Amino acid sequence: MLDFLSFGYIESGRSLSWMQGWRHTEVFTEGHFCVTYSPTMSGFSEYRERMPSRGQGIQVGLDTFRHFISKDPRREIQQLFAPVLSDSPQALLISGRMTSQMKCLLDNVQKATTTFEHQARIYELLDLTLDAMLHQSGFKETALRLTPEDIERLEAVKYILARQLQAPPTLVELARQIGLNDFKLKKGFKYLNQKTVFEYLHDLRMQKAARLLIEQTGPIIDVAYQVGYSNHGHFSVAFKKYFGRSPSKFRS
């Protein structure tokens, strides 16, 4: 029996797929996502030569996914995935349209240069996928409730990240440090700051890098190290995308 869920994102073209337990063959087309599970690998995918399919996929272990949604207060999520998370997992197929946020995030997932960055983007993509599933299924979004203590803890995230730019904690570690579950950390931080934890960390890194480039005269790679980049090329690409100029041109 397979022990993982598959999240697929079709960026171009289309494919025809079927897996044991599905009622019919499914056509996945450009701009759509699909969440699938089958207890076995029995099935097929057909790609049309005139319309080559291109996309990205994520496999999430059932135990990991069970933990991922266990802190999600939305009962509808539990209902949607009940067939998979039961003691006798059943086949599952859920598909929908990718949002503009999902498409933008997909472009950046493969560009992650650190474990924190990659994990944050994957988690955010999964969150956006679940949000899209609920919205397109007709469920109403459950309001996020934050107590004054929750808000205080979420504010502490900013100070933790500022002190650990070189080696930031993972989202799970960060949630543990502030005493909140990872769902409330991700949703609450974005609600209060209009940006994700990773986006806030990225802003901190780029702003500090800009200051160091002005204040210091040493090699650019030294600046990169100080803000958490071990690769000069990755740092230069990120800096240019943020400021519109390369680090060397910014300094001059």
PDB file of all heavy atoms in Angstrom, residues 56-60 68 105-126 168-171 186 197-199 201 205 229:
ATOM      1  N   GLN A  56       4.824  20.430 -12.135  1.00  0.00           N
ATOM      2  CA  GLN A  56       5.621  20.080 -10.968  1.00  0.00           C
ATOM      3  C   GLN A  56       4.778  19.229 -10.024  1.00  0.00           C
ATOM      4  O   GLN A  56       3.543  19.334 -10.019  1.00  0.00           O
ATOM      5  CB  GLN A  56       6.099  21.341 -10.240  1.00  0.00           C
ATOM      6  CG  GLN A  56       7.006  22.233 -11.077  1.00  0.00           C
ATOM      7  CD  GLN A  56       7.550  23.401 -10.281  1.00  0.00           C
ATOM      8  OE1 GLN A  56       8.024  23.239  -9.167  1.00  0.00           O
ATOM      9  NE2 GLN A  56       7.484  24.596 -10.859  1.00  0.00           N
ATOM     10  N   GLY A  57       5.441  18.413  -9.250  1.00  0.00           N
ATOM     11  CA  GLY A  57       4.726  17.545  -8.330  1.00  0.00           C
ATOM     12  C   GLY A  57       5.390  17.471  -6.966  1.00  0.00           C
ATOM     13  O   GLY A  57       6.600  17.654  -6.846  1.00  0.00           O
ATOM     14  N   ILE A  58       4.583  17.230  -5.951  1.00  0.00           N
ATOM     15  CA  ILE A  58       5.062  17.090  -4.580  1.00  0.00           C
ATOM     16  C   ILE A  58       4.430  15.835  -3.998  1.00  0.00           C
ATOM     17  O   ILE A  58       3.225  15.620  -4.133  1.00  0.00           O
ATOM     18  CB  ILE A  58       4.661  18.289  -3.708  1.00  0.00           C
ATOM     19  CG1 ILE A  58       5.194  19.600  -4.300  1.00  0.00           C
ATOM     20  CG2 ILE A  58       5.156  18.107  -2.277  1.00  0.00           C
ATOM     21  CD1 ILE A  58       4.622  20.829  -3.619  1.00  0.00           C
ATOM     22  N   GLN A  59       5.226  15.007  -3.384  1.00  0.00           N
ATOM     23  CA  GLN A  59       4.713  13.834  -2.698  1.00  0.00           C
ATOM     24  C   GLN A  59       4.835  14.052  -1.190  1.00  0.00           C
ATOM     25  O   GLN A  59       5.909  14.387  -0.694  1.00  0.00           O
ATOM     26  CB  GLN A  59       5.469  12.571  -3.117  1.00  0.00           C
ATOM     27  CG  GLN A  59       5.219  12.166  -4.566  1.00  0.00           C
ATOM     28  CD  GLN A  59       5.901  10.866  -4.935  1.00  0.00           C
ATOM     29  OE1 GLN A  59       6.868  10.451  -4.297  1.00  0.00           O
ATOM     30  NE2 GLN A  59       5.403  10.214  -5.977  1.00  0.00           N
ATOM     31  N   VAL A  60       3.735  13.866  -0.489  1.00  0.00           N
ATOM     32  CA  VAL A  60       3.693  14.094   0.958  1.00  0.00           C
ATOM     33  C   VAL A  60       3.247  12.805   1.645  1.00  0.00           C
ATOM     34  O   VAL A  60       2.170  12.275   1.348  1.00  0.00           O
ATOM     35  CB  VAL A  60       2.710  15.233   1.313  1.00  0.00           C
ATOM     36  CG1 VAL A  60       2.747  15.497   2.821  1.00  0.00           C
ATOM     37  CG2 VAL A  60       3.043  16.490   0.532  1.00  0.00           C
ATOM     38  N   PHE A  68       0.282  17.726   9.274  1.00  0.00           N
ATOM     39  CA  PHE A  68       0.178  19.049   8.655  1.00  0.00           C
ATOM     40  C   PHE A  68      -1.216  19.645   8.841  1.00  0.00           C
ATOM     41  O   PHE A  68      -1.359  20.837   9.122  1.00  0.00           O
ATOM     42  CB  PHE A  68       0.520  18.934   7.167  1.00  0.00           C
ATOM     43  CG  PHE A  68       0.466  20.238   6.421  1.00  0.00           C
ATOM     44  CD1 PHE A  68       1.488  21.174   6.552  1.00  0.00           C
ATOM     45  CD2 PHE A  68      -0.594  20.523   5.576  1.00  0.00           C
ATOM     46  CE1 PHE A  68       1.448  22.379   5.858  1.00  0.00           C
ATOM     47  CE2 PHE A  68      -0.642  21.727   4.880  1.00  0.00           C
ATOM     48  CZ  PHE A  68       0.379  22.650   5.020  1.00  0.00           C
ATOM     49  N   LEU A 105       4.127  31.218  -6.982  1.00  0.00           N
ATOM     50  CA  LEU A 105       4.933  30.456  -6.028  1.00  0.00           C
ATOM     51  C   LEU A 105       5.610  29.271  -6.704  1.00  0.00           C
ATOM     52  O   LEU A 105       6.757  28.938  -6.384  1.00  0.00           O
ATOM     53  CB  LEU A 105       4.055  29.976  -4.875  1.00  0.00           C
ATOM     54  CG  LEU A 105       4.767  29.406  -3.649  1.00  0.00           C
ATOM     55  CD1 LEU A 105       5.736  30.431  -3.067  1.00  0.00           C
ATOM     56  CD2 LEU A 105       3.752  28.999  -2.591  1.00  0.00           C
ATOM     57  N   LEU A 106       4.936  28.639  -7.649  1.00  0.00           N
ATOM     58  CA  LEU A 106       5.529  27.517  -8.374  1.00  0.00           C
ATOM     59  C   LEU A 106       6.810  27.928  -9.077  1.00  0.00           C
ATOM     60  O   LEU A 106       7.771  27.161  -9.158  1.00  0.00           O
ATOM     61  CB  LEU A 106       4.539  26.967  -9.413  1.00  0.00           C
ATOM     62  CG  LEU A 106       3.570  25.888  -8.954  1.00  0.00           C
ATOM     63  CD1 LEU A 106       2.597  25.560 -10.072  1.00  0.00           C
ATOM     64  CD2 LEU A 106       4.308  24.635  -8.514  1.00  0.00           C
ATOM     65  N   ASP A 107       6.832  29.147  -9.601  1.00  0.00           N
ATOM     66  CA  ASP A 107       8.018  29.634 -10.304  1.00  0.00           C
ATOM     67  C   ASP A 107       9.217  29.738  -9.371  1.00  0.00           C
ATOM     68  O   ASP A 107      10.363  29.717  -9.809  1.00  0.00           O
ATOM     69  CB  ASP A 107       7.744  31.014 -10.928  1.00  0.00           C
ATOM     70  CG  ASP A 107       6.763  30.934 -12.090  1.00  0.00           C
ATOM     71  OD1 ASP A 107       6.657  29.844 -12.685  1.00  0.00           O
ATOM     72  OD2 ASP A 107       6.107  31.945 -12.386  1.00  0.00           O
ATOM     73  N   ASN A 108       8.949  29.875  -8.067  1.00  0.00           N
ATOM     74  CA  ASN A 108      10.028  30.109  -7.114  1.00  0.00           C
ATOM     75  C   ASN A 108      10.413  28.894  -6.273  1.00  0.00           C
ATOM     76  O   ASN A 108      11.463  28.904  -5.626  1.00  0.00           O
ATOM     77  CB  ASN A 108       9.632  31.255  -6.163  1.00  0.00           C
ATOM     78  CG  ASN A 108       9.528  32.584  -6.872  1.00  0.00           C
ATOM     79  OD1 ASN A 108      10.395  32.941  -7.660  1.00  0.00           O
ATOM     80  ND2 ASN A 108       8.458  33.311  -6.625  1.00  0.00           N
ATOM     81  N   VAL A 109       9.581  27.852  -6.272  1.00  0.00           N
ATOM     82  CA  VAL A 109       9.866  26.685  -5.428  1.00  0.00           C
ATOM     83  C   VAL A 109      11.222  26.081  -5.765  1.00  0.00           C
ATOM     84  O   VAL A 109      12.021  25.758  -4.878  1.00  0.00           O
ATOM     85  CB  VAL A 109       8.757  25.621  -5.575  1.00  0.00           C
ATOM     86  CG1 VAL A 109       9.212  24.292  -4.981  1.00  0.00           C
ATOM     87  CG2 VAL A 109       7.491  26.079  -4.870  1.00  0.00           C
ATOM     88  N   GLN A 110      11.497  25.909  -7.066  1.00  0.00           N
ATOM     89  CA  GLN A 110      12.743  25.270  -7.478  1.00  0.00           C
ATOM     90  C   GLN A 110      13.969  26.170  -7.285  1.00  0.00           C
ATOM     91  O   GLN A 110      15.105  25.708  -7.405  1.00  0.00           O
ATOM     92  CB  GLN A 110      12.645  24.844  -8.953  1.00  0.00           C
ATOM     93  CG  GLN A 110      11.540  23.836  -9.231  1.00  0.00           C
ATOM     94  CD  GLN A 110      11.709  22.556  -8.446  1.00  0.00           C
ATOM     95  OE1 GLN A 110      12.831  22.121  -8.175  1.00  0.00           O
ATOM     96  NE2 GLN A 110      10.607  21.933  -8.059  1.00  0.00           N
ATOM     97  N   LYS A 111      13.738  27.449  -6.991  1.00  0.00           N
ATOM     98  CA  LYS A 111      14.851  28.378  -6.837  1.00  0.00           C
ATOM     99  C   LYS A 111      15.300  28.515  -5.387  1.00  0.00           C
ATOM    100  O   LYS A 111      16.211  29.304  -5.086  1.00  0.00           O
ATOM    101  CB  LYS A 111      14.461  29.754  -7.389  1.00  0.00           C
ATOM    102  CG  LYS A 111      14.102  29.732  -8.868  1.00  0.00           C
ATOM    103  CD  LYS A 111      13.625  31.098  -9.337  1.00  0.00           C
ATOM    104  CE  LYS A 111      13.200  31.063 -10.805  1.00  0.00           C
ATOM    105  NZ  LYS A 111      12.673  32.375 -11.252  1.00  0.00           N
ATOM    106  N   ALA A 112      14.669  27.781  -4.491  1.00  0.00           N
ATOM    107  CA  ALA A 112      15.033  27.868  -3.072  1.00  0.00           C
ATOM    108  C   ALA A 112      16.491  27.470  -2.882  1.00  0.00           C
ATOM    109  O   ALA A 112      16.962  26.505  -3.472  1.00  0.00           O
ATOM    110  CB  ALA A 112      14.126  26.965  -2.246  1.00  0.00           C
ATOM    111  N   THR A 113      17.198  28.224  -2.058  1.00  0.00           N
ATOM    112  CA  THR A 113      18.630  27.976  -1.856  1.00  0.00           C
ATOM    113  C   THR A 113      18.960  27.474  -0.459  1.00  0.00           C
ATOM    114  O   THR A 113      20.096  27.090  -0.195  1.00  0.00           O
ATOM    115  CB  THR A 113      19.424  29.265  -2.121  1.00  0.00           C
ATOM    116  OG1 THR A 113      18.966  30.297  -1.228  1.00  0.00           O
ATOM    117  CG2 THR A 113      19.241  29.727  -3.563  1.00  0.00           C
ATOM    118  N   THR A 114      17.984  27.483   0.451  1.00  0.00           N
ATOM    119  CA  THR A 114      18.218  26.994   1.813  1.00  0.00           C
ATOM    120  C   THR A 114      17.083  26.057   2.204  1.00  0.00           C
ATOM    121  O   THR A 114      16.007  26.074   1.605  1.00  0.00           O
ATOM    122  CB  THR A 114      18.267  28.147   2.830  1.00  0.00           C
ATOM    123  OG1 THR A 114      16.969  28.784   2.893  1.00  0.00           O
ATOM    124  CG2 THR A 114      19.312  29.184   2.432  1.00  0.00           C
ATOM    125  N   THR A 115      17.323  25.242   3.225  1.00  0.00           N
ATOM    126  CA  THR A 115      16.293  24.327   3.714  1.00  0.00           C
ATOM    127  C   THR A 115      15.082  25.093   4.198  1.00  0.00           C
ATOM    128  O   THR A 115      13.931  24.722   3.913  1.00  0.00           O
ATOM    129  CB  THR A 115      16.843  23.460   4.873  1.00  0.00           C
ATOM    130  OG1 THR A 115      17.960  22.700   4.392  1.00  0.00           O
ATOM    131  CG2 THR A 115      15.775  22.511   5.395  1.00  0.00           C
ATOM    132  N   PHE A 116      15.307  26.182   4.934  1.00  0.00           N
ATOM    133  CA  PHE A 116      14.204  26.993   5.442  1.00  0.00           C
ATOM    134  C   PHE A 116      13.375  27.530   4.287  1.00  0.00           C
ATOM    135  O   PHE A 116      12.143  27.470   4.297  1.00  0.00           O
ATOM    136  CB  PHE A 116      14.739  28.161   6.278  1.00  0.00           C
ATOM    137  CG  PHE A 116      13.661  29.076   6.796  1.00  0.00           C
ATOM    138  CD1 PHE A 116      13.085  28.846   8.041  1.00  0.00           C
ATOM    139  CD2 PHE A 116      13.212  30.149   6.052  1.00  0.00           C
ATOM    140  CE1 PHE A 116      12.082  29.682   8.518  1.00  0.00           C
ATOM    141  CE2 PHE A 116      12.203  30.983   6.518  1.00  0.00           C
ATOM    142  CZ  PHE A 116      11.650  30.744   7.757  1.00  0.00           C
ATOM    143  N   GLU A 117      14.045  28.072   3.282  1.00  0.00           N
ATOM    144  CA  GLU A 117      13.365  28.674   2.141  1.00  0.00           C
ATOM    145  C   GLU A 117      12.538  27.632   1.387  1.00  0.00           C
ATOM    146  O   GLU A 117      11.380  27.872   1.031  1.00  0.00           O
ATOM    147  CB  GLU A 117      14.404  29.304   1.215  1.00  0.00           C
ATOM    148  CG  GLU A 117      13.823  30.061   0.030  1.00  0.00           C
ATOM    149  CD  GLU A 117      14.910  30.681  -0.830  1.00  0.00           C
ATOM    150  OE1 GLU A 117      16.080  30.713  -0.393  1.00  0.00           O
ATOM    151  OE2 GLU A 117      14.591  31.111  -1.939  1.00  0.00           O
ATOM    152  N   HIS A 118      13.133  26.471   1.143  1.00  0.00           N
ATOM    153  CA  HIS A 118      12.433  25.426   0.400  1.00  0.00           C
ATOM    154  C   HIS A 118      11.222  24.923   1.184  1.00  0.00           C
ATOM    155  O   HIS A 118      10.121  24.784   0.623  1.00  0.00           O
ATOM    156  CB  HIS A 118      13.390  24.268   0.113  1.00  0.00           C
ATOM    157  CG  HIS A 118      12.818  23.227  -0.798  1.00  0.00           C
ATOM    158  ND1 HIS A 118      12.233  22.076  -0.322  1.00  0.00           N
ATOM    159  CD2 HIS A 118      12.704  23.170  -2.157  1.00  0.00           C
ATOM    160  CE1 HIS A 118      11.800  21.344  -1.337  1.00  0.00           C
ATOM    161  NE2 HIS A 118      12.074  21.989  -2.452  1.00  0.00           N
ATOM    162  N   GLN A 119      11.405  24.663   2.471  1.00  0.00           N
ATOM    163  CA  GLN A 119      10.306  24.181   3.292  1.00  0.00           C
ATOM    164  C   GLN A 119       9.185  25.217   3.373  1.00  0.00           C
ATOM    165  O   GLN A 119       8.003  24.878   3.253  1.00  0.00           O
ATOM    166  CB  GLN A 119      10.797  23.858   4.704  1.00  0.00           C
ATOM    167  CG  GLN A 119       9.713  23.268   5.606  1.00  0.00           C
ATOM    168  CD  GLN A 119      10.122  23.221   7.056  1.00  0.00           C
ATOM    169  OE1 GLN A 119      10.325  24.258   7.685  1.00  0.00           O
ATOM    170  NE2 GLN A 119      10.254  22.025   7.597  1.00  0.00           N
ATOM    171  N   ALA A 120       9.553  26.484   3.542  1.00  0.00           N
ATOM    172  CA  ALA A 120       8.544  27.541   3.646  1.00  0.00           C
ATOM    173  C   ALA A 120       7.712  27.640   2.378  1.00  0.00           C
ATOM    174  O   ALA A 120       6.485  27.808   2.429  1.00  0.00           O
ATOM    175  CB  ALA A 120       9.226  28.880   3.939  1.00  0.00           C
ATOM    176  N   ARG A 121       8.372  27.527   1.230  1.00  0.00           N
ATOM    177  CA  ARG A 121       7.642  27.635  -0.033  1.00  0.00           C
ATOM    178  C   ARG A 121       6.747  26.423  -0.270  1.00  0.00           C
ATOM    179  O   ARG A 121       5.631  26.561  -0.786  1.00  0.00           O
ATOM    180  CB  ARG A 121       8.637  27.809  -1.188  1.00  0.00           C
ATOM    181  CG  ARG A 121       9.284  29.189  -1.192  1.00  0.00           C
ATOM    182  CD  ARG A 121      10.324  29.337  -2.286  1.00  0.00           C
ATOM    183  NE  ARG A 121      10.841  30.696  -2.322  1.00  0.00           N
ATOM    184  CZ  ARG A 121      11.807  31.097  -3.135  1.00  0.00           C
ATOM    185  NH1 ARG A 121      12.368  30.244  -3.965  1.00  0.00           N
ATOM    186  NH2 ARG A 121      12.224  32.350  -3.120  1.00  0.00           N
ATOM    187  N   ILE A 122       7.217  25.243   0.094  1.00  0.00           N
ATOM    188  CA  ILE A 122       6.396  24.046  -0.056  1.00  0.00           C
ATOM    189  C   ILE A 122       5.170  24.134   0.844  1.00  0.00           C
ATOM    190  O   ILE A 122       4.041  23.862   0.414  1.00  0.00           O
ATOM    191  CB  ILE A 122       7.201  22.769   0.285  1.00  0.00           C
ATOM    192  CG1 ILE A 122       8.260  22.507  -0.784  1.00  0.00           C
ATOM    193  CG2 ILE A 122       6.270  21.571   0.412  1.00  0.00           C
ATOM    194  CD1 ILE A 122       7.722  22.191  -2.155  1.00  0.00           C
ATOM    195  N   TYR A 123       5.386  24.526   2.107  1.00  0.00           N
ATOM    196  CA  TYR A 123       4.262  24.655   3.030  1.00  0.00           C
ATOM    197  C   TYR A 123       3.258  25.695   2.539  1.00  0.00           C
ATOM    198  O   TYR A 123       2.049  25.505   2.637  1.00  0.00           O
ATOM    199  CB  TYR A 123       4.763  25.047   4.428  1.00  0.00           C
ATOM    200  CG  TYR A 123       5.253  23.887   5.262  1.00  0.00           C
ATOM    201  CD1 TYR A 123       5.403  22.619   4.717  1.00  0.00           C
ATOM    202  CD2 TYR A 123       5.566  24.053   6.606  1.00  0.00           C
ATOM    203  CE1 TYR A 123       5.858  21.553   5.479  1.00  0.00           C
ATOM    204  CE2 TYR A 123       6.021  22.989   7.382  1.00  0.00           C
ATOM    205  CZ  TYR A 123       6.156  21.742   6.806  1.00  0.00           C
ATOM    206  OH  TYR A 123       6.592  20.687   7.560  1.00  0.00           O
ATOM    207  N   GLU A 124       3.770  26.805   2.027  1.00  0.00           N
ATOM    208  CA  GLU A 124       2.869  27.846   1.540  1.00  0.00           C
ATOM    209  C   GLU A 124       2.079  27.351   0.336  1.00  0.00           C
ATOM    210  O   GLU A 124       0.883  27.632   0.200  1.00  0.00           O
ATOM    211  CB  GLU A 124       3.657  29.105   1.172  1.00  0.00           C
ATOM    212  CG  GLU A 124       2.751  30.262   0.782  1.00  0.00           C
ATOM    213  CD  GLU A 124       3.495  31.532   0.448  1.00  0.00           C
ATOM    214  OE1 GLU A 124       4.744  31.531   0.508  1.00  0.00           O
ATOM    215  OE2 GLU A 124       2.834  32.525   0.108  1.00  0.00           O
ATOM    216  N   LEU A 125       2.738  26.595  -0.553  1.00  0.00           N
ATOM    217  CA  LEU A 125       2.051  26.056  -1.721  1.00  0.00           C
ATOM    218  C   LEU A 125       0.952  25.083  -1.296  1.00  0.00           C
ATOM    219  O   LEU A 125      -0.155  25.098  -1.848  1.00  0.00           O
ATOM    220  CB  LEU A 125       3.049  25.361  -2.648  1.00  0.00           C
ATOM    221  CG  LEU A 125       2.474  24.770  -3.947  1.00  0.00           C
ATOM    222  CD1 LEU A 125       1.791  25.849  -4.778  1.00  0.00           C
ATOM    223  CD2 LEU A 125       3.588  24.106  -4.753  1.00  0.00           C
ATOM    224  N   LEU A 126       1.242  24.243  -0.311  1.00  0.00           N
ATOM    225  CA  LEU A 126       0.230  23.314   0.194  1.00  0.00           C
ATOM    226  C   LEU A 126      -0.936  24.080   0.824  1.00  0.00           C
ATOM    227  O   LEU A 126      -2.107  23.730   0.621  1.00  0.00           O
ATOM    228  CB  LEU A 126       0.839  22.350   1.210  1.00  0.00           C
ATOM    229  CG  LEU A 126       1.862  21.350   0.671  1.00  0.00           C
ATOM    230  CD1 LEU A 126       2.392  20.475   1.804  1.00  0.00           C
ATOM    231  CD2 LEU A 126       1.267  20.481  -0.429  1.00  0.00           C
ATOM    232  N   PRO A 168      18.334  30.545  10.027  1.00  0.00           N
ATOM    233  CA  PRO A 168      17.004  30.660  10.629  1.00  0.00           C
ATOM    234  C   PRO A 168      16.428  29.291  10.968  1.00  0.00           C
ATOM    235  O   PRO A 168      16.753  28.289  10.327  1.00  0.00           O
ATOM    236  CB  PRO A 168      16.180  31.349   9.538  1.00  0.00           C
ATOM    237  CG  PRO A 168      16.861  30.961   8.261  1.00  0.00           C
ATOM    238  CD  PRO A 168      18.330  30.934   8.600  1.00  0.00           C
ATOM    239  N   PRO A 169      15.559  29.224  11.975  1.00  0.00           N
ATOM    240  CA  PRO A 169      14.925  27.947  12.317  1.00  0.00           C
ATOM    241  C   PRO A 169      13.921  27.552  11.243  1.00  0.00           C
ATOM    242  O   PRO A 169      13.452  28.395  10.476  1.00  0.00           O
ATOM    243  CB  PRO A 169      14.218  28.260  13.641  1.00  0.00           C
ATOM    244  CG  PRO A 169      13.931  29.741  13.555  1.00  0.00           C
ATOM    245  CD  PRO A 169      15.107  30.331  12.841  1.00  0.00           C
ATOM    246  N   THR A 170      13.596  26.268  11.174  1.00  0.00           N
ATOM    247  CA  THR A 170      12.544  25.830  10.266  1.00  0.00           C
ATOM    248  C   THR A 170      11.212  26.338  10.810  1.00  0.00           C
ATOM    249  O   THR A 170      11.122  26.796  11.959  1.00  0.00           O
ATOM    250  CB  THR A 170      12.496  24.304  10.156  1.00  0.00           C
ATOM    251  OG1 THR A 170      12.112  23.767  11.440  1.00  0.00           O
ATOM    252  CG2 THR A 170      13.855  23.733   9.754  1.00  0.00           C
ATOM    253  N   LEU A 171      10.163  26.244  10.008  1.00  0.00           N
ATOM    254  CA  LEU A 171       8.856  26.700  10.464  1.00  0.00           C
ATOM    255  C   LEU A 171       8.386  25.913  11.679  1.00  0.00           C
ATOM    256  O   LEU A 171       7.794  26.481  12.603  1.00  0.00           O
ATOM    257  CB  LEU A 171       7.839  26.569   9.326  1.00  0.00           C
ATOM    258  CG  LEU A 171       8.002  27.564   8.172  1.00  0.00           C
ATOM    259  CD1 LEU A 171       7.011  27.246   7.065  1.00  0.00           C
ATOM    260  CD2 LEU A 171       7.798  28.993   8.662  1.00  0.00           C
ATOM    261  N   LYS A 186       1.765  30.277  10.485  1.00  0.00           N
ATOM    262  CA  LYS A 186       1.739  30.661   9.069  1.00  0.00           C
ATOM    263  C   LYS A 186       0.582  31.601   8.754  1.00  0.00           C
ATOM    264  O   LYS A 186       0.781  32.647   8.133  1.00  0.00           O
ATOM    265  CB  LYS A 186       1.655  29.407   8.196  1.00  0.00           C
ATOM    266  CG  LYS A 186       2.910  28.544   8.218  1.00  0.00           C
ATOM    267  CD  LYS A 186       2.746  27.296   7.394  1.00  0.00           C
ATOM    268  CE  LYS A 186       1.786  26.323   8.021  1.00  0.00           C
ATOM    269  NZ  LYS A 186       1.670  25.045   7.304  1.00  0.00           N
ATOM    270  N   VAL A 197       6.082  34.301   6.442  1.00  0.00           N
ATOM    271  CA  VAL A 197       7.298  34.307   7.254  1.00  0.00           C
ATOM    272  C   VAL A 197       8.526  34.375   6.342  1.00  0.00           C
ATOM    273  O   VAL A 197       9.461  35.132   6.603  1.00  0.00           O
ATOM    274  CB  VAL A 197       7.368  33.048   8.154  1.00  0.00           C
ATOM    275  CG1 VAL A 197       8.703  32.998   8.892  1.00  0.00           C
ATOM    276  CG2 VAL A 197       6.217  33.030   9.140  1.00  0.00           C
ATOM    277  N   PHE A 198       8.521  33.569   5.282  1.00  0.00           N
ATOM    278  CA  PHE A 198       9.664  33.582   4.380  1.00  0.00           C
ATOM    279  C   PHE A 198       9.827  34.933   3.691  1.00  0.00           C
ATOM    280  O   PHE A 198      10.948  35.444   3.555  1.00  0.00           O
ATOM    281  CB  PHE A 198       9.545  32.494   3.310  1.00  0.00           C
ATOM    282  CG  PHE A 198      10.565  32.661   2.224  1.00  0.00           C
ATOM    283  CD1 PHE A 198      11.905  32.402   2.472  1.00  0.00           C
ATOM    284  CD2 PHE A 198      10.202  33.138   0.975  1.00  0.00           C
ATOM    285  CE1 PHE A 198      12.863  32.600   1.495  1.00  0.00           C
ATOM    286  CE2 PHE A 198      11.144  33.332  -0.011  1.00  0.00           C
ATOM    287  CZ  PHE A 198      12.479  33.060   0.249  1.00  0.00           C
ATOM    288  N   GLU A 199       8.740  35.545   3.254  1.00  0.00           N
ATOM    289  CA  GLU A 199       8.826  36.855   2.596  1.00  0.00           C
ATOM    290  C   GLU A 199       9.397  37.895   3.551  1.00  0.00           C
ATOM    291  O   GLU A 199      10.191  38.755   3.143  1.00  0.00           O
ATOM    292  CB  GLU A 199       7.442  37.278   2.095  1.00  0.00           C
ATOM    293  CG  GLU A 199       6.964  36.463   0.910  1.00  0.00           C
ATOM    294  CD  GLU A 199       5.506  36.710   0.575  1.00  0.00           C
ATOM    295  OE1 GLU A 199       4.757  37.189   1.466  1.00  0.00           O
ATOM    296  OE2 GLU A 199       5.102  36.408  -0.559  1.00  0.00           O
ATOM    297  N   LEU A 201      11.426  37.254   6.119  1.00  0.00           N
ATOM    298  CA  LEU A 201      12.843  36.919   6.267  1.00  0.00           C
ATOM    299  C   LEU A 201      13.636  37.404   5.058  1.00  0.00           C
ATOM    300  O   LEU A 201      14.744  37.947   5.203  1.00  0.00           O
ATOM    301  CB  LEU A 201      13.011  35.403   6.418  1.00  0.00           C
ATOM    302  CG  LEU A 201      14.450  34.868   6.407  1.00  0.00           C
ATOM    303  CD1 LEU A 201      15.223  35.379   7.620  1.00  0.00           C
ATOM    304  CD2 LEU A 201      14.451  33.341   6.380  1.00  0.00           C
ATOM    305  N   ARG A 205      16.845  40.010   4.997  1.00  0.00           N
ATOM    306  CA  ARG A 205      18.131  39.661   4.399  1.00  0.00           C
ATOM    307  C   ARG A 205      18.568  40.676   3.360  1.00  0.00           C
ATOM    308  O   ARG A 205      19.716  41.117   3.329  1.00  0.00           O
ATOM    309  CB  ARG A 205      18.048  38.266   3.775  1.00  0.00           C
ATOM    310  CG  ARG A 205      18.107  37.138   4.780  1.00  0.00           C
ATOM    311  CD  ARG A 205      17.894  35.789   4.123  1.00  0.00           C
ATOM    312  NE  ARG A 205      18.411  34.715   4.969  1.00  0.00           N
ATOM    313  CZ  ARG A 205      18.189  33.432   4.741  1.00  0.00           C
ATOM    314  NH1 ARG A 205      17.469  33.043   3.704  1.00  0.00           N
ATOM    315  NH2 ARG A 205      18.701  32.517   5.552  1.00  0.00           N
ATOM    316  N   TYR A 229      23.437  33.348   2.896  1.00  0.00           N
ATOM    317  CA  TYR A 229      23.671  32.715   1.601  1.00  0.00           C
ATOM    318  C   TYR A 229      25.083  32.135   1.561  1.00  0.00           C
ATOM    319  O   TYR A 229      26.046  32.830   1.869  1.00  0.00           O
ATOM    320  CB  TYR A 229      23.516  33.725   0.457  1.00  0.00           C
ATOM    321  CG  TYR A 229      22.086  34.099   0.141  1.00  0.00           C
ATOM    322  CD1 TYR A 229      21.446  35.109   0.864  1.00  0.00           C
ATOM    323  CD2 TYR A 229      21.382  33.451  -0.862  1.00  0.00           C
ATOM    324  CE1 TYR A 229      20.132  35.454   0.586  1.00  0.00           C
ATOM    325  CE2 TYR A 229      20.069  33.796  -1.156  1.00  0.00           C
ATOM    326  CZ  TYR A 229      19.449  34.803  -0.433  1.00  0.00           C
ATOM    327  OH  TYR A 229      18.148  35.144  -0.708  1.00  0.00           O
TER     328      TYR A 229
END
